[in-house]
Each structure stands twice: as structure tokens, then as C-alpha cells.
Amino acid sequence: MRRGWKIVSWIIGVCLALIVVLLIVIATFDWNRLKPTINARASETLGRPFAINGDLSVRWRREERASGMESWVPWPEFIAQNISIGNPDWTGQPHFAQLDALRFRVSPLPLIVHRVEIPVLYLTQPTIDLERNAQGQANWEFAFTNNTTPSAWKLDLHAIGFDRGHIMLNDAINKADLQITMEALQRAIPYGDIVSQQSADAREQASKTVGANAKTQLEKDAGTQENQPGHTSATYQFAFQAQGKYQGAAVDGNGKTGGVLALQETDQPFPLQADMHVGDTHIAMVGTLTDPLHLAALNIRLWFSGSSMAKLYPLIGVTLPDTPPYATEGHLRATLKKGASHFSYDHFRGRVGGSDLAGDLAFDTGAARPKLTGAVKSQLLRFSDLAPLIGADTNSEKEQRGDATPQPSDKVLPVEPFRTDRWRAMDADVTFSAEKIVRDTALPIHALQTHLQMDNGVLTLNPLDFDFASGKIDSNLRLDGSTTPMKGDIKLKARHLKLKELFPKFAPMQTSFGEINGDAALNARGNSVSELMGTSTGELKLLMNDGAISKALLETAGLNVANIVIVKLFGDKTVKINCAASDLSATNGLYQTQLFVFDTEDATIRVNGTVNFANEKLDLDVRPESKGLRILSLRSPLYVKGTLKDPDVGVQPGPLILRGGGAVALAVFAAPVAALLPLVATSKGEPDNTCATVLEQMRGASKARTAPLPQKTKAAATH
């Protein structure tokens, strides 16, 4: 029995001695002997040079954060000094990364089951050089060697920690040359403090860009739950500075981050904050990133502001229109996957020029082309804020938003080309509505509704509807940017536009009960408004009854050419219009008058000739036909020549127009607009209205028959 105990005691003693010897060997082992093997294996796996150039050592100590048996067992801590990872041959720098040191601790008990568990891998003063050439080769993409024999060991890395460092980015594709430096903060800053500070800073920047109203607009509903970014208990521990160039624009910015990236615990949000200026575009964000190893989720509050939304395209890859200065704030949630990311910009609100915007947008990259979807609303839309969409803003405003196509001084139609190359870069399906539209001259466009769709370079606005002067303008527009030059088609229908509401600030119009109705159908080719109008082909028809016309009225409408014509015909007085009808045909930008007649209380005015939008030249003949003895109040026939920018209106040579039956001309030429006749409502209580009789005749089978003059006009002729 004693012999058995001696054998057991001897075995236990030998085991303890072996453990002691093993611990002594491990503690005194020169780990630098393993560096050649580690360097060779790592280089083979990475496919590029790897080297531990400094000391490799191991320290043993207990892990205070461990629990159970692991809290009693000493953990090995590996420290490698002066590490370098090489670059591929095509790069301009010799090293992809250099570290002053790499440090990590290994949990000992999982080693029994062949699992290497590392709670945190610390990088000391990393310097990283990121490069991508014009052919798309990127040095951050590693060609890891594939070992067909499965390994019995499994790596379990929980998080990555870092301290001060430096990152260089040279990207030929995005034309980026950036320098980023990281520094540890003197103290950790609570997450909520940075959220509040960044919100205040971004709104202050918005007020500088767009005006004080922008700050007020952004603050609306900002405190509601749906507008809050992701929450985390982590603190901000590092600050970064970024400077350089991106897409040819200067970059200057700063931000803050947490200290440890959780790689496996996806419910551990990593705090982010950034405030960047790229040219005159400002981008700010604050929130959290979870699962950074896979960039799985982004939950931030995001601000944009700048001189034009179009400048965001090279920064975020979303095609947006040219706009006046703008500022927006919203809640961005993103699921990031290579080739299939989803971004939602929820509950955003903002200011564009003098207009407000709000809505929800989503951007998906999973299809053949990225796609933007959503709904945008405006409570108050300034018409002038739409001018940059078609290049109709001033040259100084163009320069501010970065356009290099100045408007020629002798042209009215915008020559700035549409960015159709960007249309082909993504698709879109967005609805837009404006509850109220204002214009400096009080033009009564009350509301706008449209559905914008973009599919492989083809842009459609269907419908494109306006509530206008208590009537309706229904239209649809199609622009095919997939071809060069672009093809355009527009169809428009105007119904029941009330004349007294069309010019609400013009007192003589307030007694008018008439309406305007019209139709237009045009197609064209060209990459600007000028080119489209200069090639337009189709027709335009218009009917109006019971109105008034004067110099003051035309100045209100901004119709310069008509203003000059009316003053030369009637002087500066208000003239009642019984009715008007026009039928224009267009061929390659040349608009020919098939019918253009005004029937007034003094005369019937006929206009013949052309308007050439290809060269913006006018060639019109204006002939008034007097009613009765009122000939003395009229001028001679006129010509309208010159250009849209500088019209030349003069008196034609020859005698004054003799008396004539003006209503006859209206009846003869009215057949092309017969389709609009049922929409014309003549004034009640005006039985002597010339057009009432004429239009009734036109509704009949013989529309070209001469119409008799009203009784009142005949009586006037006898006085």
C-alpha cells in the first residue's frame, strides 16, 4: 500500500516539476528566435512582406476583467516592436503599414480546445498608407493564400484598440489625396456631449450658408425620438484631423471616435463624429457604427450644406439637381454590404434658397444601378429657386454653385447643358409636392405635384401638375438622356385659368370673369433648354375670353415684347379683350402663326409671322382692324423683329388701317382651335360681346362663315 502511494506521489511530483520547468522555459524563452518563422508564415499568408523588426517578448499576468478560473490563471501578453507590412510593387510607397508596437493578451484556457481568444489587439502609433491606382488596384485588398488543409486552430479576436497614428490616402479613381492624423484626447468625453455640440455647430453653419431661416428649419422636430442618432455608453477618446484634396476640391475637417472597435459584439456601438468641408460643401455627422468588421450598421444624424446639391454627386454618388445654397438635417441609417448597401435618410428637413424641404429618401446599391426612392414635400417653394434646374439663374449664381457655362449676354434661353452622364449613373423614383408656390411678381401658382422617375438615363416627370389661377395645368415631360443629343417630349393641358387671379395685383383685372384654356405638344432634341427649344417641333393652341390688357398688365407678366406692341397700338391705357385665340405650329424651333387673333373693344388684332427659337429671332406682322369710328385711337400696322433679348418693334410704312369687320377675321381663322371651344365661357350679362356670337358660329358646322357684328358695335359706328 505504501509502495502505491509512493508511486502516486512520485508521479505527481514529476508532473509538478515538469510544469515548473515548463513555466521557467516559457518565462525565460527568447521569443525572438521565432521571428524568422513568424515573418515567413505571415508574409506567405498576406502575399506581401511582413516583418517584426524589433523585440518580440511575452509577459505573464492575471487578467482583472476575467471571471471564474481564468481570473486565477496568468495570461500571456505578447508584445512585438517595430512591425512593417510591405506594399505591392505598383505602389509609390514601400510600406502599407508600420507600427511602433503590437500588443495583445491570450486567454490560456481556450488553448486547450485549439481556440486562440484575444480580447483586444492594440496598435501603437500606426502609420498606414492607402493607395489605389487608375486601374482600380488597391493596396488594402490582400491576396490571402488559401490553405486547402483546414486548420485545427480558430482565431477569436474581439476588438481592436489604437492610439495616435497617421493615415495617408492616395486614390486615383476618386482623385483623393488626404492626410489624417489621430491623437488621444486629454480626457474621455461623454457621447451625449458631442451629439449636442455637433448639432449646434452644424445648424450654425447652415445659417451661414443659407440664412437664419435655415437654422430655424433644421431645429424643427430635431428632439423627437425618430430623429435621434444611435445611442451608446461608450465615450469619445480620440480626435482626428483630415486635410488634402478630393475631386479637385480642398478638404479640411476634424472629428472624434471611440478608442476600441468591437469586432464581434455587434450590439456594442462605436461612437463617430465628423465635421468636414469639401470645397464649399459642408458635411457633418454624429452617431454610432456597429459591427465595424463588416460595416454592418450606421446610425447617425447627418447634415449637408453648400452652394448647390449637385456638388454632392462626387462625394456620395447620388445624382441631385443644381440648386441655390441649401442646408439639410436628417437621420441616416445604413446597412453596409459590398454591392448591396441600403441607406435611408429619414425625417430630413432643410432649406434650399428661400424654399423649405422635408421628407424621407432611400438609396440602394444592390441592383444593376443604384436607385434613389422616396417622397419630398415643400410647404413654401420659391419659383426662383427652381431656376438652377434648367440653368436659368444669373451668371454670378452659376459661378457660386460651380458651373462653368456662363449665359451669353445676347440670349434669353438657358444654354447650360444638363448633366445627362449622371442620369445614367443611377435610377430614381421620387414624388415631390409643394403646397404653396410664390413668385416675386405674385404669379398665382398655388401648388405643384410631380412624380420623378429616372431609368437608365431616361427622366420622366409624369405627372407634372400645377394648381394655377384657380385652374389646372396638367403636363408630363420626358427627357431621354441615354442618347446624344438628348430627346425631349412634353405634353401640356391648361384648363380654366381665371384671368382675375392670373394677375391678382392688377386692379382692372378684378372685374374680369374670363378664362384661359390651352394645349401644347412638342418634341425636341438637345442637351440644354436653348437646344431643346431650338429644335422643338409640334403645336401650341390657346383660347382666352373676357380679359383686359395694358402696359401695366404686361409689365406684371414680364412680357416685354407684348408690352412694347400694346403701347404702340393703344398707348398706355387699359383695353378690354373680348377674346383671343392662337394656333402655333413648330418645326425645328421655328414657330409659325396659323392663327393669332385678339378681339378687343376697339379692334381685332391679327398677328402673322414666326418666332425662331433656334436663333431667338422675331419676325412678326401685327395688324389691327378697327371697329367703327375708333380708328383714331389706333396706330399703324407694326412689325416685330430683332431678338427675344432685344426686340425691335416699329411702325410699318403705309397708311393707317381702314375700317373693317374684325370679327370676320376671327371666324375665318378659328377652325384649328375648335377643340378648345367648349371650354370658353363668355361673360354673363354681356350679350354684345363680339366673341359670344363668333364662338357660337364656330361651334356650328360652318365655322368659317362670316359672323355679324354685335348690335352695340353697330350703334357705335353710327355716332
Side-chain angles (χ1 to χ4, degrees):
M1 192 70 171
R2 290 181 178 179
R3 181 179 178 82
W5 278 109
K6 287 183 179 181
I7 295 174
V8 172
S9 299
W10 183 81
I11 293 174
I12 293 174
V14 170
C15 290
L16 290 174
L18 290 174
I19 292 174
V20 171
V21 171
L22 180 61
L23 292 175
I24 293 173
V25 171
I26 292 175
T28 60
F29 181 73
D30 183 6
W31 293 90
N32 289 298
R33 291 183 177 183
L34 297 179
K35 286 199 305 183
T37 302
I38 295 173
N39 291 344
R41 291 288 181 87
S43 298
E44 180 182 358
T45 302
L46 296 175
R48 62 180 68 174
F50 174 92
I52 302 174
N53 302 303
D55 186 55
L56 177 61
S57 61
V58 177
R59 295 186 301 185
W60 294 81
R61 62 180 181 178
R62 289 171 55 190
E63 176 60 52
E64 297 178 356
R65 292 173 295 182
S67 60
M69 291 185 60
E70 287 190 330
S71 63
W72 295 94
V73 178
W75 288 35
E77 181 180 32
F78 293 86
I79 304 171
Q81 306 284 348
N82 190 7
I83 297 175
S84 63
I85 301 174
N87 258 327
D89 295 336
W90 55 265
T91 60
Q93 299 294 329
H95 296 112
F96 165 74
Q98 291 180 289
L99 307 172
D100 281 9
L102 183 148
R103 177 169 54 90
F104 61 90
R105 305 187 74 184
V106 177
S107 177
L109 296 184
L111 294 173
I112 300 175
V113 292
H114 291 194
R115 190 172 87 244
V116 180
E117 184 173 329
I118 302 175
V120 183
L121 177 69
Y122 290 99
L123 309 178
T124 303
Q125 296 194 25
T127 298
I128 301 174
D129 171 66
L130 303 176
E131 295 185 52
R132 180 164 60 177
N133 61 21
Q135 290 72 41
Q137 294 176 296
N139 71 338
W140 57 82
E141 295 177 350
F142 289 83
F144 294 103
T145 57
N146 295 321
N147 192 341
T148 57
T149 304
S151 174
W153 291 86
K154 179 183 178 182
L155 175 63
D156 193 359
L157 176 61
H158 289 231
I160 295 178
F162 51 88
D163 63 6
R164 59 181 303 180
H166 187 74
I167 300 174
M168 296 171 289
L169 173 63
N170 191 329
D171 186 352
I173 292 181
N174 288 319
K175 300 178 182 177
D177 186 3
L178 299 175
Q179 304 284 330
I180 304 171
T181 57
M182 301 283 297
E183 293 285 349
L185 295 170
Q186 293 182 352
R187 64 176 182 86
I189 303 177
Y191 175 75
D193 292 357
I194 297 298
V195 172
S196 300
Q197 184 62 51
Q198 181 59 73
S199 299
D201 291 346
R203 291 168 190 156
E204 189 62 34
Q205 177 63 45
S207 68
K208 295 178 181 178
T209 303
V210 189
N213 288 334
K215 183 178 180 180
T216 304
Q217 181 69 22
L218 298 188
E219 288 175 343
K220 289 182 179 179
D221 303 324
T224 57
Q225 184 63 36
E226 62 267 20
N227 289 323
Q228 295 300 314
H231 181 72
T232 179
S233 59
T235 59
Y236 289 93
Q237 299 183 32
F238 288 89
F240 71 84
Q241 294 281 339
Q243 290 184 325
K245 294 278 189 179
Y246 187 85
Q247 294 288 346
V251 175
D252 186 14
N254 60 78
K256 297 176 180 64
T257 72
V260 176
L261 287 166
L263 301 183
Q264 294 189 356
E265 298 177 4
T266 57
D267 59 346
Q268 295 289 328
F270 180 73
L272 289 174
Q273 177 264 329
D275 194 301
M276 307 293 296
H277 289 267
V278 184
D280 63 5
T281 298
H282 176 243
I283 303 176
M285 66 179 71
V286 64
T288 62
L289 171 67
T290 55
D291 194 8
L293 184 63
H294 303 97
L295 295 178
L298 196 62
N299 191 335
I300 62 174
R301 184 181 292 169
L302 180 63
W303 293 265
F304 294 111
S305 63
S307 60
S308 173
M309 285 188 177
K311 292 186 178 181
L312 288 173
Y313 175 74
L315 304 179
I316 63 176
V318 179
T319 300
L320 295 171
D322 288 295
T323 67
Y326 71 95
T328 69
E329 173 180 342
H331 188 180
L332 179 70
R333 293 183 177 91
T335 302
L336 307 173
K337 296 180 181 178
K338 188 174 182 180
S341 295
H342 174 79
F343 303 84
S344 61
Y345 196 34
D346 299 327
H347 308 291
F348 80 85
R349 57 215 171 275
R351 195 87 178 169
V352 180
S355 308
D356 64 84
L357 287 181
D360 301 277
L361 292 172
F363 188 67
D364 290 278
T365 64
R369 291 176 302 278
K371 187 170 185 178
L372 180 71
T373 58
V376 180
K377 296 182 179 181
S378 175
Q379 293 181 338
L380 182 64
L381 176 66
R382 280 200 331 180
F383 222 66
S384 59
D385 292 333
L386 299 178
L389 293 174
I390 59 173
D393 49 344
T394 65
N395 284 340
S396 61
E397 291 170 333
K398 291 175 186 290
E399 184 178 356
Q400 181 181 5
R401 61 180 170 85
D403 184 77
T405 311
Q407 180 70 18
S409 59
D410 60 340
K411 280 187 171 291
V412 172
L413 298 175
V415 301
E416 180 179 335
F418 294 102
R419 305 174 191 263
T420 55
D421 56 327
R422 297 184 178 183
W423 297 6
R424 296 187 289 270
M426 57 168 275
D427 294 340
D429 190 336
V430 178
T431 60
F432 175 76
S433 61
E435 294 184 12
K436 183 179 180 181
I437 301 177
V438 294
R439 185 181 175 185
D440 294 340
T441 53
L443 190 66
I445 303 175
H446 303 300
L448 179 153
Q449 305 84 33
T450 189
H451 182 191
L452 181 151
Q453 292 179 295
M454 192 154 56
D455 184 9
N456 198 21
V458 179
L459 173 67
T460 59
L461 297 174
N462 187 16
L464 176 59
D465 296 343
F466 297 89
D467 294 345
F468 193 93
S470 292
K472 192 79 173 178
I473 297 179
D474 299 326
S475 64
N476 61 77
L477 173 68
R478 184 179 187 273
L479 298 174
D480 187 354
S482 65
T483 63
T484 302
M486 177 174 65
K487 296 179 181 178
D489 295 277
I490 186 170
K491 294 182 180 179
L492 182 146
K493 179 173 67 175
R495 293 293 183 267
H496 308 298
L497 309 186
K498 302 297 187 293
L499 287 172
K500 69 177 180 179
E501 295 187 23
L502 192 62
F503 304 102
K505 293 187 176 181
F506 183 61
M509 288 297 296
Q510 301 312 300
T511 60
S512 173
F513 296 94
E515 291 184 347
I516 292 179
N517 298 279
D519 290 309
L522 301 168
N523 60 76
R525 297 177 69 91
N527 290 337
S528 68
V529 172
S530 178
E531 291 180 359
L532 288 170
M533 288 299 297
T535 60
S536 55
T537 298
E539 59 182 5
L540 186 152
K541 303 176 187 295
L542 185 72
L543 277 179
M544 180 180 76
N545 68 300
D546 293 330
I549 195 165
S550 75
K551 176 182 178 181
L553 174 61
L554 295 173
E555 285 181 346
T556 301
L559 303 175
N560 297 326
V561 176
N563 182 10
I564 300 172
V565 171
I566 293 302
V567 171
K568 287 186 178 291
L569 286 175
F570 300 102
D572 189 14
K573 72 171 186 174
T574 300
V575 178
K576 185 177 184 297
I577 299 176
N578 297 321
C579 62
S582 67
D583 182 6
L584 305 178
S585 64
T587 303
N588 290 326
L590 185 66
Y591 283 67
Q592 176 75 46
T593 59
Q594 305 299 317
L595 165 72
F596 205 126
V597 177
F598 285 91
D599 186 87
T600 75
E601 59 187 353
D602 287 339
T604 298
I605 304 168
R606 289 184 292 172
V607 180
N608 295 304
T610 61
V611 177
N612 192 336
F613 285 102
N615 54 21
E616 299 192 9
K617 289 187 176 181
L618 304 169
D619 187 8
L620 298 171
D621 179 30
V622 182
R623 293 183 175 271
E625 297 182 358
S626 175
K627 295 179 179 180
L629 296 178
R630 294 173 180 166
I631 185 172
L632 296 178
S633 65
L634 296 176
R635 309 297 196 266
S636 295
L638 305 177
Y639 64 82
V640 180
K641 297 186 181 296
T643 66
L644 295 176
K645 184 75 171 180
D646 296 305
D648 176 21
V649 180
V651 178
Q652 291 186 356
L656 295 175
I657 299 299
L658 299 177
R659 296 178 183 180
V664 175
L666 182 60
V668 171
F669 286 100
V673 293
L676 293 172
L677 291 179
L679 300 171
V680 176
T682 58
S683 299
K684 296 181 180 180
E686 297 276 353
D688 54 350
N689 187 313
T690 303
C691 295
T693 305
V694 172
L695 294 176
E696 286 299 325
Q697 294 269 347
M698 292 165 61
R699 288 188 176 95
S702 178
K703 298 183 177 61
R705 188 173 55 189
T706 301
L709 293 174
Q711 294 298 320
K712 184 175 180 179
T713 303
K714 292 180 179 179
T718 62
H719 286 81

